[in-house]
Amino acid sequence: MIIPIVAFGHPVLKKKALPIENNYPDLQELITNMFETMYAANGVGLAAPQIDLSIRLIVIDGSALSKDYPETDGFKKVFINPEILEESGENRLYNEGCLSVPEIHEDVSRKERVKLRYFDETFAERIEEFHGMRARIIQHEYDHLEGKVFIDRLSPLRRTLLKKRLSDIAQGKKTGAYKMRFAKK
Ligand code: ZN
């Protein structure tokens, strides 16, 4: 089932999401729905707050980027209650976009490696390190669980320049080519 994606300006995107227990109701169905929603919008990652669920759950499939970023080949994963243990390496710039912020792409600086503790879809605990585009996608989605979007990582000047376009998104004047949900509608 495809679920509408929450647009920038919706309060759920500013909330710190809460961890879930392994008896969370219909978790497998939710994961399936999140993948379906993400694929339908041509995304490579989706965090639960983006479907108006303030819980610490992320789905990722970076395979679509594997031509340019080979490390994403077969990178399809579910992250439950992830916790960043360490970020390391050089700061790298990459032009990011977000399903909640349609048509805006901006360079965001992030560290090239991230070490993560998380639970997989079977609720097995894992500690793993990711690099390159794998790390980038995780860091972007993880921000959603912390109540942040990539816009929050831009300079105040860049944000000011984007103000009009962001308010158009928040008011539903600008939408993606997929089902969206707006705060003010
Ligand atoms: Zn996003």
Coordinates of all heavy atoms in Angstrom, one line a residue, residues 6-55:
V6 N 4.8 12.9 3.7 CA 4.6 14.2 4.4 C 5.5 15.3 3.8 O 6.7 15.0 3.6 CB 4.9 14.0 5.9 CG1 5.1 15.3 6.6 CG2 3.8 13.2 6.5
A7 N 5.0 16.4 3.5 CA 5.8 17.5 2.9 C 6.4 18.4 4.0 O 5.9 18.5 5.1 CB 4.9 18.4 2.0
F8 N 7.6 19.0 3.6 CA 8.2 20.0 4.4 C 7.2 21.0 5.0 O 6.3 21.4 4.3 CB 9.2 20.7 3.6 CG 10.0 21.8 4.3 CD1 11.1 21.6 5.0 CD2 9.5 23.1 4.3 CE1 11.8 22.6 5.7 CE2 10.1 24.2 5.0 CZ 11.3 23.9 5.7
G9 N 7.4 21.3 6.3 CA 6.5 22.2 6.9 C 5.5 21.5 7.9 O 4.9 22.1 8.8
H10 N 5.4 20.1 7.7 CA 4.6 19.3 8.6 C 5.3 19.1 9.9 O 6.5 18.8 9.9 CB 4.3 18.0 7.9 CG 3.2 17.2 8.6 ND1 3.3 16.7 9.9 CD2 1.9 16.9 8.2 CE1 2.2 16.1 10.2 NE2 1.3 16.2 9.2
P11 N 4.6 19.3 11.1 CA 5.3 19.2 12.4 C 6.0 17.9 12.6 O 7.0 17.9 13.4 CB 4.2 19.6 13.4 CG 2.9 19.5 12.6 CD 3.2 19.8 11.2
V12 N 5.5 16.8 12.1 CA 6.1 15.5 12.4 C 7.6 15.4 11.9 O 8.4 14.7 12.5 CB 5.3 14.3 11.7 CG1 5.4 14.3 10.2 CG2 5.6 13.0 12.3
L13 N 7.9 16.2 10.9 CA 9.3 16.2 10.4 C 10.2 16.9 11.4 O 11.5 16.9 11.2 CB 9.4 16.9 9.0 CG 8.6 16.1 7.9 CD1 8.8 16.9 6.6 CD2 9.2 14.7 7.7
K14 N 9.7 17.6 12.4 CA 10.5 18.3 13.3 C 10.6 17.6 14.7 O 11.3 18.0 15.6 CB 10.0 19.7 13.6 CG 10.1 20.6 12.4 CD 10.3 22.0 12.8 CE 10.9 22.8 11.6 NZ 11.5 24.1 12.0
K15 N 9.9 16.5 14.8 CA 9.9 15.7 16.0 C 11.0 14.7 16.1 O 11.3 14.1 15.1 CB 8.5 15.0 16.2 CG 7.6 15.8 17.0 CD 6.1 15.3 17.0 CE 5.9 14.0 17.6 NZ 4.4 13.6 17.5
K16 N 11.6 14.5 17.3 CA 12.5 13.4 17.5 C 11.7 12.1 17.6 O 10.8 12.0 18.4 CB 13.3 13.6 18.7 CG 14.5 12.7 18.8 CD 15.4 13.0 20.0 CE 16.1 11.8 20.4 NZ 17.5 11.8 20.2
A17 N 11.9 11.2 16.7 CA 11.1 9.9 16.7 C 11.5 9.0 17.8 O 12.6 9.0 18.3 CB 11.3 9.2 15.3
L18 N 10.5 8.2 18.2 CA 10.7 7.3 19.4 C 11.1 5.9 18.9 O 10.6 5.4 17.9 CB 9.4 7.2 20.2 CG 9.0 8.6 20.9 CD1 7.7 8.4 21.5 CD2 10.1 9.0 21.9
P19 N 11.9 5.2 19.7 CA 12.2 3.8 19.4 C 11.0 2.9 19.5 O 10.0 3.2 20.2 CB 13.2 3.4 20.5 CG 13.4 4.5 21.4 CD 12.6 5.7 20.9
I20 N 11.0 1.7 18.8 CA 9.9 0.8 18.9 C 10.4 -0.5 19.5 O 11.6 -0.8 19.6 CB 9.3 0.5 17.5 CG1 10.3 0.0 16.5 CG2 8.7 1.8 16.9 CD1 9.7 -0.5 15.2
E21 N 9.4 -1.3 20.0 CA 9.6 -2.6 20.6 C 9.4 -3.7 19.5 O 8.8 -3.4 18.5 CB 8.6 -2.9 21.7 CG 8.5 -1.8 22.8 CD 9.6 -2.0 23.9 OE1 10.1 -3.1 24.0 OE2 9.8 -1.0 24.6
N22 N 9.9 -4.9 19.8 CA 9.8 -5.9 18.7 C 8.4 -6.4 18.5 O 8.1 -7.2 17.6 CB 10.8 -7.0 18.9 CG 10.6 -7.8 20.2 OD1 9.7 -7.4 20.9 ND2 11.4 -8.8 20.5
N23 N 7.5 -6.0 19.4 CA 6.1 -6.4 19.2 C 5.2 -5.3 18.6 O 4.0 -5.3 18.7 CB 5.4 -6.8 20.5 CG 5.4 -5.7 21.6 OD1 6.0 -4.6 21.3 ND2 4.8 -5.9 22.7
Y24 N 5.9 -4.4 17.9 CA 5.2 -3.2 17.3 C 4.2 -3.8 16.3 O 4.5 -4.7 15.5 CB 6.2 -2.3 16.6 CG 5.6 -1.0 16.1 CD1 5.5 0.1 16.9 CD2 5.1 -1.0 14.8 CE1 4.9 1.2 16.4 CE2 4.5 0.2 14.3 CZ 4.4 1.3 15.1 OH 3.8 2.5 14.7
P25 N 2.9 -3.4 16.4 CA 1.9 -4.0 15.6 C 2.1 -3.9 14.1 O 2.5 -2.9 13.5 CB 0.6 -3.2 16.0 CG 1.1 -2.0 16.7 CD 2.4 -2.3 17.3
D26 N 1.9 -5.1 13.4 CA 2.0 -5.1 11.9 C 3.3 -4.5 11.4 O 3.3 -3.9 10.3 CB 0.8 -4.4 11.3 CG -0.5 -5.0 11.8 OD1 -0.6 -6.3 11.9 OD2 -1.4 -4.3 12.1
L27 N 4.4 -4.8 12.0 CA 5.7 -4.2 11.6 C 6.1 -4.6 10.2 O 6.5 -3.8 9.4 CB 6.8 -4.6 12.6 CG 8.2 -4.0 12.3 CD1 8.2 -2.5 12.3 CD2 9.2 -4.5 13.4
Q28 N 5.9 -5.9 9.9 CA 6.4 -6.4 8.6 C 5.5 -5.8 7.5 O 6.1 -5.4 6.4 CB 6.3 -7.9 8.5 CG 7.3 -8.7 9.4 CD 8.7 -8.1 9.4 OE1 9.3 -7.8 8.4 NE2 9.3 -8.0 10.6
E29 N 4.3 -5.6 7.7 CA 3.4 -4.9 6.7 C 3.8 -3.5 6.6 O 3.8 -3.0 5.4 CB 1.9 -5.0 7.2 CG 0.9 -4.7 6.1 CD -0.5 -4.7 6.7 OE1 -0.8 -5.4 7.7 OE2 -1.3 -4.0 6.1
L30 N 4.1 -2.8 7.7 CA 4.6 -1.4 7.6 C 5.8 -1.3 6.8 O 6.0 -0.4 5.9 CB 4.8 -0.9 9.0 CG 5.4 0.5 9.1 CD1 4.5 1.5 8.5 CD2 5.6 0.9 10.6
I31 N 6.8 -2.2 7.0 CA 8.0 -2.2 6.2 C 7.8 -2.4 4.7 O 8.3 -1.7 3.9 CB 9.0 -3.3 6.8 CG1 9.5 -2.9 8.2 CG2 10.2 -3.5 5.8 CD1 10.2 -4.0 8.9
T32 N 6.9 -3.4 4.4 CA 6.5 -3.6 3.0 C 5.9 -2.3 2.4 O 6.3 -1.9 1.3 CB 5.5 -4.7 2.9 OG1 6.1 -5.9 3.5 CG2 5.1 -5.0 1.5
N33 N 5.0 -1.7 3.1 CA 4.4 -0.5 2.7 C 5.4 0.7 2.5 O 5.2 1.5 1.5 CB 3.2 0.0 3.6 CG 2.1 -1.0 3.6 OD1 1.9 -1.8 2.6 ND2 1.2 -0.9 4.6
M34 N 6.3 0.7 3.4 CA 7.3 1.8 3.3 C 8.2 1.6 2.0 O 8.5 2.6 1.3 CB 8.2 1.9 4.5 CG 7.4 2.6 5.7 SD 8.4 2.7 7.2 CE 9.7 3.9 6.7
F35 N 8.6 0.4 1.7 CA 9.3 0.1 0.5 C 8.5 0.5 -0.7 O 9.0 1.1 -1.6 CB 9.8 -1.4 0.4 CG 11.1 -1.6 1.1 CD1 11.2 -2.5 2.2 CD2 12.3 -1.0 0.6 CE1 12.4 -2.7 2.8 CE2 13.5 -1.3 1.3 CZ 13.6 -2.1 2.4
E36 N 7.2 0.0 -0.7 CA 6.4 0.3 -1.9 C 6.2 1.8 -2.1 O 6.3 2.3 -3.2 CB 5.0 -0.3 -1.6 CG 4.2 -0.5 -2.8 CD 2.8 -1.2 -2.5 OE1 2.7 -1.9 -1.5 OE2 1.9 -0.9 -3.3
T37 N 6.0 2.5 -1.0 CA 5.9 4.0 -1.1 C 7.2 4.7 -1.6 O 7.1 5.5 -2.5 CB 5.6 4.6 0.3 OG1 4.4 4.0 0.8 CG2 5.4 6.1 0.3
M38 N 8.3 4.2 -1.1 CA 9.6 4.7 -1.6 C 9.8 4.4 -3.0 O 10.2 5.4 -3.8 CB 10.7 4.1 -0.7 CG 12.1 4.6 -1.0 SD 13.3 3.5 -0.2 CE 13.4 2.2 -1.4
Y39 N 9.6 3.2 -3.5 CA 9.8 2.9 -4.9 C 8.9 3.7 -5.8 O 9.3 4.2 -6.9 CB 9.6 1.4 -5.2 CG 10.6 0.5 -4.6 CD1 10.3 -0.7 -3.8 CD2 12.0 0.7 -4.7 CE1 11.2 -1.5 -3.3 CE2 12.9 -0.1 -4.2 CZ 12.6 -1.2 -3.4 OH 13.5 -2.0 -2.9
A40 N 7.6 3.8 -5.4 CA 6.7 4.6 -6.2 C 7.1 6.0 -6.4 O 6.7 6.7 -7.4 CB 5.3 4.5 -5.6
A41 N 7.8 6.6 -5.4 CA 8.3 7.9 -5.5 C 9.7 8.0 -6.1 O 10.3 9.1 -6.1 CB 8.2 8.6 -4.2
N42 N 10.3 6.9 -6.5 CA 11.6 6.8 -7.0 C 12.7 7.3 -6.0 O 13.7 7.9 -6.3 CB 11.8 7.7 -8.3 CG 11.1 7.0 -9.5 OD1 11.2 5.8 -9.6 ND2 10.4 7.8 -10.2
G43 N 12.4 7.0 -4.7 CA 13.4 7.4 -3.7 C 14.4 6.2 -3.4 O 14.1 5.1 -3.9
V44 N 15.4 6.5 -2.7 CA 16.4 5.5 -2.3 C 16.4 5.3 -0.8 O 17.1 4.4 -0.3 CB 17.8 5.8 -2.8 CG1 17.9 5.8 -4.3 CG2 18.3 7.2 -2.3
G45 N 15.6 6.1 -0.1 CA 15.4 5.9 1.3 C 14.1 6.5 1.8 O 13.7 7.5 1.2
L46 N 13.6 6.0 2.9 CA 12.4 6.6 3.5 C 12.4 6.4 5.0 O 12.7 5.2 5.4 CB 11.1 6.0 2.9 CG 9.8 6.6 3.2 CD1 9.6 8.0 2.5 CD2 8.6 5.7 2.8
A47 N 12.2 7.4 5.7 CA 12.1 7.3 7.2 C 10.7 7.4 7.6 O 9.9 8.2 7.0 CB 13.0 8.4 7.8
A48 N 10.3 6.7 8.7 CA 8.9 6.6 9.1 C 8.3 8.0 9.3 O 7.1 8.2 9.0 CB 8.8 5.7 10.4
P49 N 9.0 9.0 9.9 CA 8.3 10.3 10.1 C 7.8 10.9 8.7 O 6.9 11.7 8.7 CB 9.5 11.2 10.6 CG 10.3 10.2 11.4 CD 10.3 9.0 10.5
Q50 N 8.4 10.5 7.6 CA 8.0 10.9 6.3 C 6.6 10.4 5.9 O 6.0 10.9 4.9 CB 9.0 10.6 5.2 CG 10.3 11.4 5.4 CD 11.2 11.0 4.3 OE1 11.9 10.0 4.3 NE2 11.3 11.9 3.2
I51 N 6.1 9.4 6.6 CA 4.8 8.9 6.4 C 3.9 9.2 7.7 O 2.9 8.5 8.0 CB 4.7 7.4 6.0 CG1 5.4 6.5 7.0 CG2 5.2 7.2 4.6 CD1 5.0 5.1 6.9
D52 N 4.4 10.2 8.4 CA 3.6 10.7 9.6 C 3.6 9.7 10.8 O 2.6 9.6 11.5 CB 2.2 11.1 9.2 CG 1.6 12.1 10.2 OD1 2.3 12.5 11.1 OD2 0.3 12.3 10.1
L53 N 4.7 8.9 10.9 CA 4.8 8.0 12.0 C 6.1 8.3 12.7 O 7.2 8.1 12.1 CB 4.9 6.6 11.5 CG 3.7 5.7 11.4 CD1 4.1 4.3 10.9 CD2 2.9 5.6 12.7
S54 N 6.0 8.8 13.9 CA 7.2 9.3 14.6 C 7.9 8.2 15.3 O 8.0 8.2 16.6 CB 6.8 10.5 15.5 OG 8.0 11.2 15.9
I55 N 8.4 7.2 14.6 CA 9.1 6.1 15.2 C 10.4 5.9 14.4 O 10.6 6.4 13.3 CB 8.3 4.8 15.1 CG1 7.9 4.4 13.6 CG2 7.0 4.9 15.9 CD1 7.3 3.0 13.5

